[in-house]
């Protein structure tokens, strides 16, 4: 393989853009590979894998990105550009990159079956060719590999499910197990759902929004959307729209029986498709995540991000809980959480969403993904506005102010690990002021 030059300071930034393109491909049912073309610090071309949708065997991410860039700059030569792609290029794409005369090629995961950057052959190191380019490999390789692994695990699970479909009542927690919830909406026709039903609490059911601002509240484990039941009315009272989805595998959303059907890639695709369906403007959306939902909120790369008790690191007790939930299919959730008498009813509801161990595939998949993420957490970066609310008395997720960019707004709130229930008023006060937007 061609010797890799020293890392450029923005390599990870641009690779995250390529990973976002790959997520879009996964949401369409294509193998998740994404690419971007960068010139002078700006993206001039984007592409994602789409040979299935286009009925085109050449529609690989790199090819689509090169076509986009060439059209934008008005030249088929891209000799002052760098290309970032999540997977090692195949021979076709490596040839196209060389023909385009790109200055630099950076990729994430290796491709042991078709890779033409050193895994199977190395076209970039072929001295007989009349053009050569610099290459760097392994940038965010773990994230890129995880995207691919999650996608193929989901595909295998869907194939098994199609062969042995489940009844609706086997997928859904009986309503009698959960507290009443005015404001429920349901979606089952988003492509990433594959026919499953997603539950979303939407303030617009009860009151038409009078503000352009939308709050997307993402619960972590082992809770469901009712974690925000005391916070949502404070946000909606401003005329804002508030959306609280239950992740697949949690709350009132369907609960597939196989962990492979409940990957982070699928969760992210569902959220993106939901926002598109509702016509929610990303620039006016505050993505809000509690606890270990931070990893998914960060992957969404929002412009406005609010992290509450973010699980950027975990205490020994939390790691022990993650391991226990992964290996004990009937572990009592309420009894396993740090004692808090004031939240006993809420803890009981989190237990009630899983009537028996057959409903817990989503929880097992979630805690496994969180344990992997904690080994190499992504630093919060890229949001134009970032608010972080730390509890004064955490047990599971200790504060990690050093992991945040200097521009982040940080504040402390009285309470422990479940701030949306313990301190909704100070949370809402700080967030409404920080994410203030002009009224229409």
């Amino acid at each position: 393989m061609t010797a890799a030059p020293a890392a450029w300071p923005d390599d990870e930034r641009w690779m995250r853009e390529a990973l976002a393109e790959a997520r879009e491909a996964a949401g369409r049912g294509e193998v998740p590979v994404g690419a971007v073309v960068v010139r002078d610090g700006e993206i001039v071309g984007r592409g994602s894998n789409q040979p299935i949708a286009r009925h085109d065997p050449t529609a690989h991410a790199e090819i689509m990105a090169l076509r986009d860039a060439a059209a934008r700059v008005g030249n088929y030569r891209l000799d002052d550009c760098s290309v970032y792609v999540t997977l090692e290029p195949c021979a076709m794409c490596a040839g196209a990159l060389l023909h385009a005369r790109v200055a630099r090629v950076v990729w994430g995961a290796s491709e042991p079956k078709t890779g033409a950057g050193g895994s199977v052959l190395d076209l970039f190191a072929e001295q007989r060719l009349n053009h050569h380019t610099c290459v760097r490999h392994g940038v965010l390789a773990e994230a890129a590999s995880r995207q691919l692994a999650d996608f193929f695990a989901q595909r295998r699970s869907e194939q098994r499910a199609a062969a042995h479909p489940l009844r609706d009542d086997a997928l859904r927690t009986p309503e009698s197990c959960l507290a009443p919830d005015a404001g429920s909406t349901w979606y089952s026709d988003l492509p990433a759902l594959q026919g499953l039903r997603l539950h979303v609490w939407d303030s617009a059911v009860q009151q038409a929004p009078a503000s352009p601002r939308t709050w997307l509240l993402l619960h972590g484990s082992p809770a469901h959307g009712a974690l925000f039941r005391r916070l949502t009315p404070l946000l909606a009272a401003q005329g804002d729209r508030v959306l609280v989805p239950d992740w697949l595998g949690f709350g009132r959303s369907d609960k597939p029986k196989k962990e492979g059907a409940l990957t982070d890639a699928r969760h992210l695709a569902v959220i993106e498709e939901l926002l598109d369906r509702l016509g929610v403007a990303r620039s006016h959306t505050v993505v809000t995540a509690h606890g270990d939902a931070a990893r998914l909120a960060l992957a969404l790369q929002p412009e406005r991000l609010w992290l509450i008790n973010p699980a950027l690191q975990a205490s020994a007790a939390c790691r022990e809980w993650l391991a226990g939930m992964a290996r004990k299919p009937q572990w009592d959730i309420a009894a396993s959480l740090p004692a808090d008498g004031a939240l006993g009813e809420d803890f009981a509801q989190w237990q009630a969403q899983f009537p028996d161990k057959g409903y817990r595939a989503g929880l097992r998949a979630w805690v496994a993904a969180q344990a992997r993420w904690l080994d190499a957490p992504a630093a919060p970066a890229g949001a134009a506005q970032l608010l972080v609310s730390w509890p004064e008395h955490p047990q599971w997720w200790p504060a990690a102010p050093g992991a945040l960019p200097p521009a982040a707004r940080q504040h402390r709130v009285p309470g422990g690990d479940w701030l949306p229930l313990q301190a909704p008023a100070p949370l809402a006060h700080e967030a409404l002021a920080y994410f203030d937007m002009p009224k229409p």
Side-chain angles (χ1 to χ4, degrees):
M1 183 179 292
T2 309
W8 288 17
D10 288 334
D11 279 354
E12 290 195 0
R13 171 190 174 190
W14 301 126
M15 187 60 72
R16 292 189 193 282
E17 294 287 342
L19 288 167
E21 294 293 321
R23 283 197 298 275
E24 290 191 12
R28 298 191 302 267
E30 304 272 6
V31 174
V33 182
V36 295
V37 182
V38 177
R39 183 176 70 169
D40 297 331
E42 293 185 359
I43 294 176
V44 296
R46 292 179 177 273
S48 58
N49 219 24
Q50 40 193 310
I52 298 173
R54 288 178 172 266
H55 309 292
D56 179 358
T58 71
H60 288 194
E62 302 94 309
I63 302 295
M64 303 307 296
L66 290 174
R67 289 172 179 168
D68 186 31
R72 290 196 197 187
V73 305
N75 195 336
Y76 73 107
R77 297 294 196 207
L78 302 172
D79 50 12
D80 53 353
C81 296
S82 296
V83 175
Y84 294 81
V85 59
T86 58
L87 185 65
E88 180 182 356
C90 67
M92 175 185 71
C93 294
L97 293 163
L98 291 169
H99 279 299
R101 302 292 197 266
V102 297
R104 193 162 177 263
V105 180
V106 181
W107 65 86
S110 297
E111 172 47 276
K113 295 183 179 179
T114 62
S119 291
V120 176
L121 70 159
D122 193 349
L123 287 180
F124 298 112
E126 178 51 67
Q127 295 300 313
R128 290 171 293 181
L129 296 176
N130 66 340
H131 174 74
H132 299 92
T133 184
C134 294
V135 301
R136 184 184 178 208
H137 55 88
V139 176
L140 299 183
E142 182 179 351
S145 298
R146 189 183 307 149
Q147 269 190 338
L148 290 159
D150 287 350
F151 174 82
F152 286 112
Q154 178 180 329
R155 176 182 282 182
R156 289 190 295 270
S157 178
E158 289 168 355
Q159 290 170 344
R160 289 192 295 267
H164 303 284
L166 292 170
R167 303 186 317 273
D168 287 347
D169 61 351
L171 293 167
R172 295 169 191 166
T173 300
E175 279 294 316
S176 59
C177 294
L178 300 170
D181 183 26
S184 291
T185 57
W186 310 91
Y187 299 87
S188 59
D189 57 349
L190 303 176
L193 290 174
Q194 298 288 323
L196 295 174
R197 191 174 71 162
L198 178 76
H199 172 256
V200 181
W201 187 90
D202 187 348
S203 64
V205 171
Q206 299 171 312
Q207 175 183 322
S211 162
R213 182 169 53 191
T214 297
W215 302 84
L216 175 67
L217 306 186
L218 304 176
H219 70 84
S221 71
H224 50 71
L227 170 73
F228 298 108
R229 61 186 176 82
R230 295 174 181 167
L231 181 60
T232 51
L234 303 178
L235 302 176
Q238 307 302 310
D240 299 353
R241 188 175 193 176
V242 184
L243 299 170
V244 188
D246 285 331
W247 299 108
L248 287 179
F250 291 86
R252 286 177 161 86
S253 290
D254 280 357
K255 299 176 179 64
K257 303 303 181 184
K258 301 295 184 181
E259 295 169 40
L262 295 156
T263 63
D264 281 4
R266 188 179 196 181
H267 287 317
L268 292 169
V270 167
I271 294 298
E272 294 282 9
E273 291 171 5
L274 174 67
L275 296 179
D276 288 342
R277 170 63 58 82
L278 297 176
V280 173
R282 303 300 201 274
S283 60
H284 289 164
T285 300
V286 180
V287 175
T288 304
H290 175 266
D292 52 16
R295 75 174 190 279
L296 293 175
L298 291 170
L300 289 170
Q301 298 183 311
E303 294 182 28
R304 305 173 192 274
L305 177 60
W306 181 17
L307 300 178
I308 306 173
N309 300 59
L312 303 181
Q313 59 185 24
S315 66
C318 179
R319 285 187 176 272
E320 182 179 343
W321 187 90
L322 292 172
M325 276 296 158
R327 68 176 183 268
K328 299 178 181 179
Q330 291 183 296
W331 202 12
D332 187 302
I333 291 174
S336 70
L337 295 174
D340 189 328
L343 299 181
E345 291 186 8
D346 292 279
F347 290 179
Q349 278 287 290
W350 302 347
Q351 169 73 18
Q353 66 183 313
F354 308 115
D356 61 52
K357 65 180 181 181
Y359 289 84
R360 291 200 179 195
L363 180 58
R364 292 194 301 273
W366 183 282
V367 298
Q370 180 64 15
R372 292 193 300 269
W373 188 85
L374 283 170
D375 291 335
Q385 288 185 285
L386 173 57
L387 173 65
V388 182
S389 303
W390 299 111
E392 289 186 349
H393 305 291
Q395 295 187 57
W396 271 15
W397 306 300
L404 300 170
R409 164 73 176 139
Q410 304 184 57
H411 71 124
R412 293 272 183 172
V413 182
D417 293 317
W418 313 105
L419 284 183
L421 290 167
Q422 295 165 325
L427 284 177
H429 176 79
E430 187 75 19
L432 288 166
Y434 181 74
F435 294 108
D436 187 37
M437 295 182 190
K439 302 297 181 185

